[in-house]
Amino acid sequence: MGRQPGYDTAALVRAARRVFWEHGYEQASVPELERATGVNRSSLYHAFGSKRGLYDAALTSYLDEVVRPRLRPLQTPPVQPAALADYLQHLLDALARDATGDGDASRGCLLLSAAAAPIGQDDAVRAVVVAYRAELRAAVAGGLAAARPDLDDTVRAHLAESVTALVVAALALVRVDVVAAADSLRAALEVSRPEPARQPARQSLG
Amino acid sequence: MGRQPGYDTAALVRAARRVFWEHGYEQASVPELERATGVNRSSLYHAFGSKRGLYDAALTSYLDEVVRPRLRPLQTPPVQPAALADYLQHLLDALARDATGDGDASRGCLLLSAAAAPIGQDDAVRAVVVAYRAELRAAVAGGLAAARPDLDDTVRAHLAESVTALVVAALALVRVDVVAAADSLRAALEVSRPEPARQPARQSLG
DNA sequence: GCTTTACTGTAACGTCCATTGCAGAAAAGC
DNA sequence: GCTTTTCTGCAATGGACGTTACAGTAAAGC
């Protein structure tokens, strides 16, 4: 019983998601969320409790409506090798294209701000980011395994990690994955390496 | 003539840099900068004009004292192939290690916030980021050319772009570079590719 | 139609922010 | 020692923020 909302909740969350996507959690102001959704702050707080509650709804909606549909081609066998190559190519390609466009994704991945900004310190948000990364890794590894069973296991593992790391690094800036990519690159460098001598030098670019 | 500052300017900027590094420009508050530098806001505004002026000084100091020293091994011939492999390996390795540590770099690259945050919209800051990316690209390409003249030009170019893209993507999140990395990955996928047929599918992960 | 429940508009709250004014303190040059 | 220049401490300004209180309105169930 009672009065019905004068707005479409799904559309509201989508509009809010766009604001968070563009400005990040901290820089997205409540007045701006009001403007974008066309809904008064009273209704927003009544429905979501807080700015943070609305952000959580936006995160969920982002994963369900944006991320997962794009990963589905990797998870639906049979995966053709050529299709996989094209898929990965165009996936990364689209990232670059979006970055220069003026669409929703022009400011990068919504989870980027979650990981890099202060909100990323929050345990609940961090858990979402970690789960997202695992999901992405599994999708890439699974798709690659289905498409290229002919590849050597080690090579395929390196390739999967490298692709995942690149996508994750570009999207969510989880720098830990760079380790795996570094292994891949090292392997690539070793292929036609003239001498096996090494001389480690611990340094950081910051 | 006149009174001398009661602080060491270089140390002050380093302390401020650490704050900007950790929290980003927008989230770094003046009271926190006062605390970290041990200098009153009056002196800060007297010396740097504004919070933004202090940030500019921190950016310059970051490039001079942090970034360029790490790139020098790539720019000082002769570069040994083994040393280059180790250098790149440990460079990326250190990025991951720093990310999990509690040092200055635990929050990523200082220029990351400059590129991803609202301050990155500023023309002057954007110019710094672009120059930084070009410098990094030149260093990697130059080092690789010096170390591995035996490699095929195309392969070496791909490798250089891939390494640069990975480092830049992980550090500064300039997604345009992902294009070059995607080319590299595509080349890697093509190496042992059974069939040449393609079927483009334009999609974006966001 | 009346009650109950839920949504919505206006206005205000307290807090933090970057920035500024101003009076005072310290040191360099004569 | 006096002047000049520069640095510093304290206090306040105006504005933006997230959040809440409250009165009002609309619709669902009986």
Side-chain angles (χ1 to χ4, degrees):
Chain A
M1 57 181 77
R3 188 174 164 186
Q4 295 285 88
Y7 51 82
D8 176 9
T9 300
L12 186 159
V13 172
R14 253 191 304 272
R17 185 179 79 198
R18 202 153 33 224
V19 175
F20 286 127
W21 202 338
E22 188 170 359
H23 301 309
Y25 175 75
E26 289 82 7
Q27 305 295 328
S29 73
V30 171
E32 190 164 5
L33 289 167
E34 282 184 290
R35 237 177 292 125
T37 59
V39 172
N40 193 278
R41 63 187 71 191
S42 296
S43 305
L44 293 181
Y45 275 86
H46 181 80
F48 299 95
S50 65
K51 177 185 172 186
R52 174 61 196 280
L54 180 54
Y55 181 71
D56 288 340
L59 267 192
T60 301
S61 130
Y62 177 75
L63 288 172
D64 287 341
E65 297 182 11
V66 178
V67 172
R68 299 213 169 89
R70 312 296 169 156
L71 294 182
R72 202 154 299 143
L74 283 177
Q75 296 161 328
T76 321
V79 179
Q80 300 300 325
L84 177 67
D86 278 318
Y87 172 77
L88 291 176
Q89 169 75 22
H90 290 304
L91 189 67
L92 294 172
D93 204 24
L95 289 178
R97 189 165 32 79
D98 289 343
T100 60
D102 52 357
D104 281 355
S106 61
R107 302 275 306 166
C109 173
L110 174 59
L111 287 176
L112 159 78
S113 36
I119 187 72
Q121 307 279 27
D122 182 281
D123 286 342
V125 172
R126 201 200 304 261
V128 171
V129 172
V130 169
Y132 166 52
R133 182 177 46 164
E135 201 171 336
L136 192 61
R137 184 195 310 276
V140 169
L144 195 60
R148 295 298 300 273
D150 58 300
L151 283 182
D152 177 75
D153 277 2
T154 307
V155 170
R156 199 172 56 220
H158 275 163
L159 199 55
E161 285 297 337
S162 179
V163 172
T164 306
L166 185 61
V167 174
V168 170
L171 283 174
L173 199 82
V174 180
R175 270 152 290 116
V176 166
D177 288 302
V178 174
V179 167
D183 287 341
S184 256
L185 287 170
R186 179 166 202 93
L189 281 168
E190 302 255 4
V191 167
S192 52
R193 196 168 169 185
E195 41 181 337
R198 307 185 178 185
Q199 176 179 317
R202 289 259 156 195
Q203 288 192 355
S204 164
L205 192 70
Chain B
M1 58 180 78
R3 187 174 162 186
Q4 295 284 87
Y7 50 82
D8 176 9
T9 301
L12 186 159
V13 172
R14 254 192 302 272
R17 187 178 78 198
R18 203 155 29 224
V19 174
F20 286 127
W21 202 337
E22 187 170 0
H23 301 308
Y25 175 76
E26 290 81 8
Q27 305 295 328
S29 71
V30 172
E32 190 164 5
L33 289 166
E34 282 184 290
R35 239 176 291 125
T37 60
V39 172
N40 194 278
R41 64 187 71 192
S42 296
S43 305
L44 293 180
Y45 275 84
H46 180 81
F48 299 97
S50 65
K51 176 185 172 185
R52 174 61 196 281
L54 180 54
Y55 182 71
D56 288 341
L59 267 191
T60 301
S61 128
Y62 178 75
L63 287 171
D64 287 341
E65 298 182 9
V66 178
V67 171
R68 298 212 170 90
R70 313 295 169 156
L71 294 182
R72 202 154 299 143
L74 283 176
Q75 295 162 328
T76 321
V79 179
Q80 301 299 325
L84 177 68
D86 278 319
Y87 173 77
L88 291 175
Q89 168 76 22
H90 291 304
L91 189 67
L92 295 171
D93 203 24
L95 289 177
R97 189 164 33 81
D98 289 344
T100 60
D102 53 356
D104 280 356
S106 61
R107 304 273 307 165
C109 173
L110 174 59
L111 286 176
L112 158 77
S113 36
I119 187 72
Q121 306 279 28
D122 182 281
D123 286 342
V125 172
R126 201 199 305 261
V128 171
V129 173
V130 169
Y132 166 53
R133 183 176 46 164
E135 201 171 334
L136 192 60
R137 184 195 311 277
V140 169
L144 194 60
R148 297 295 302 270
D150 58 300
L151 283 182
D152 178 74
D153 277 2
T154 308
V155 170
R156 198 172 56 221
H158 274 166
L159 199 54
E161 284 298 336
S162 178
V163 171
T164 306
L166 184 62
V167 174
V168 170
L171 282 175
L173 199 82
V174 180
R175 268 153 291 116
V176 167
D177 288 301
V178 174
V179 167
D183 287 341
S184 256
L185 287 170
R186 177 166 203 94
L189 281 168
E190 301 254 6
V191 166
S192 52
R193 196 168 169 185
E195 42 183 338
R198 309 183 179 187
Q199 176 179 317
R202 287 263 157 192
Q203 289 191 355
S204 164
L205 191 69

